Each structure stands twice: as structure tokens, then as C-alpha cells.
């Protein structure tokens, strides 16, 4: 079985569970090839039934500017290989949850509200993390990168004195603009952007509206992309000298 991506040259490092799935897929492969997705560069890797890297055939003569010989009427060209890249969806579940999935740090007390918030993020492919305290949350933020932080007012003290709130508010802008920061509190007004701005948050949600968190999150993520993606694209173009 190949151990290195032919595109980015990085080690694939399949887990035992992934190798079992790949072996099973290859064993059930009647014809054609198996397409995997590199967990690093996301480009397709085509594998032969024996586990070796598939080398595509050379282009036809007409593609190289050479006239192809006339096709014999009795000759029937075989159909192209089937595209079974969907198999890759079940091959990287173990590793990508840990290494590739964005993480959401959720600081809410136990209850239905926390379940609703966790479910909304999990359904969008986030790895949800529920710290036991503010100190635990700060430790996890120190050693990991999060794509979202949800803080309930009062989880680690009043919001104005919350160490987690101060930590998120003071993040460098290159990190902060890629982080969705949501504050939940009884006295807040759901999706009131001016209130969110004064708290250095992307979204504020009244505690009574948490059951609708899935809908609020969908709109909040869309607004965050609309706000920051043009700026991020301008930075990329500037870095590339375009």
C-alpha cells in the first residue's frame, strides 16, 4: 500500500482502522481503480487493486497533435473507469476528526442549551470541546487552535471579568478574524450586531433563543464569511504580488 502522497509528498500514515477499510474496498473492487483523498492536500490519489499507485495511460494521439489511426468498426472501446471517490468519505473519518476538523470550544453549563449548541456545530463538521472550567478552557486555547468559541455569561464569572472573554478579545487579528466568537447571556439581544461589536464578539444570543442556535449559527457563519473573505482574498493577492 502506498505510504506517501504523490502530489504533496507527505506521509499518509494510515491508521489500522483506515487500512482495514482500504483493504476491504480494494478486495471488493471488481474493476477499475480506487480513489482516495489525501488528508493533507485533499487531492485525489488513484490506487490499483494491488495497492500500488495508478499511473494514468498516456493521452490519445489526437491530444498530442498526432492523427489517430481509423477505428475498426468491430473494435469497441471499453467505458472509462468508474468514479468511486465517494469511498474516501469513509476512509479518513478517524484521522480527520482529530487533525483536520475545525474545533469549537463550548463553555456552557450542562443542559439542553449546551446540547443544542454542540449538535449544531457537530452537524457542520466541527469537533466540539466542552471544558470543565474557565481555567481548563484557557489551557486548551493555549495549546490548540479553535475555529469557534461559545461563552455563556457567568460560566467563569461575570463577562466583564471573565478571563476567557479577555483572552479571546485580546487575540491577534490574524487569529481573531478566523474565529467565530459567540456570547450567550440573559440580558443580550439576539443577533444585535452593535451589541456584539461592543463585546468584541461575532454574535450575541439571548439565553431564551438558544434552542434556535442551529439557525442562528448558519446565518452567523454566512455573515462572517461575507465580512472577512474579501479581506482575506485581498491579503492573499497582496502577498502574491498580484
Amino acid at each position: 500500500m502506498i505510504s506517501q502522497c504523490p502530489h504533496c509528498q507527505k506521509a499518509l500514515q494510515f491508521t489500522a482502522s483506515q487500512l482495514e477499510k482500504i483493504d476491504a474496498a480494494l478486495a471488493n473492487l471488481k474493476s477499475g481503480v480506487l480513489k482516495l483523498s489525501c488528508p493533507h492536500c485533499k487531492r485525489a490519489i488513484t490506487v490499483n487493486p494491488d495497492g500500488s499507485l495508478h499511473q494514468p495511460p498516456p493521452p490519445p494521439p489526437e491530444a498530442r497533435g498526432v492523427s489517430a489511426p481509423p477505428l475498426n468498426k468491430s473494435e469497441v472501446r471499453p467505458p472509462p473507469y468508474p468514479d468511486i471517490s465517494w469511498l474516501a468519505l469513509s476512509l479518513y473519518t478517524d484521522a480527520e476528526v482529530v487533525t483536520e476538523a475545525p474545533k469549537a470550544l463550548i463553555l456552557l453549563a450542562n443542559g439542553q442549551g449546551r446540547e443544542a449548541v454542540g449538535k449544531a456545530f457537530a452537524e457542520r463538521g466541527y469537533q466540539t470541546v466542552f471544558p470543565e472550567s474557565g481555567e481548563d478552557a484557557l489551557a486548551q486555547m493555549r495549546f490548540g487552535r479553535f475555529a469557534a468559541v461559545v461563552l455563556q455569561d457567568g460560566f467563569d464569572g461575570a463577562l466583564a471579568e471573565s478571563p476567557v472573554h479577555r483572552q479571546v478579545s485580546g487575540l491577534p487579528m490574524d487569529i481573531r478574524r478566523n474565529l467565530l466568537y459567540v456570547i450567550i447571556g440573559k440580558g443580550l439581544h439576539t443577533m444585535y450586531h452593535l451589541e456584539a461589536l461592543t463585546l468584541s464578539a461575532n454574535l450575541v444570543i439571548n439565553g431564551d433563543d438558544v434552542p434556535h442556535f442551529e439557525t442562528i449559527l448558519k446565518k452567523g457563519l454566512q455573515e462572517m464569511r461575507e465580512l472577512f473573505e474579501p479581506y482575506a482574498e485581498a491579503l492573499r493577492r497582496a502577498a502574491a504580488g498580484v
Side-chain angles (χ1 to χ4, degrees), residues 93-104:
T93 51
D94 294 338
E96 285 191 332
V97 166
V98 177
T99 61
E100 298 296 334
K103 293 182 179 181

Side-chain angles (χ1 to χ4, degrees), residues 39-97:
H40 304 292
C41 67
K42 305 302 181 184
R43 296 179 65 181
I45 304 172
T46 309
V47 181
N48 292 318
D50 62 358
S52 62
L53 181 67
H54 174 72
Q55 299 293 340
E62 54 267 26
R64 303 194 303 265
V66 180
S67 299
L71 181 66
N72 190 314
K73 291 184 179 180
S74 62
E75 180 182 353
V76 178
R77 290 180 177 173
Y81 292 132
D83 183 5
I84 51 176
S85 56
W86 56 270
L87 286 171
L89 296 176
S90 64
L91 295 177
Y92 287 105
T93 51
D94 294 338
E96 285 191 332
V97 166

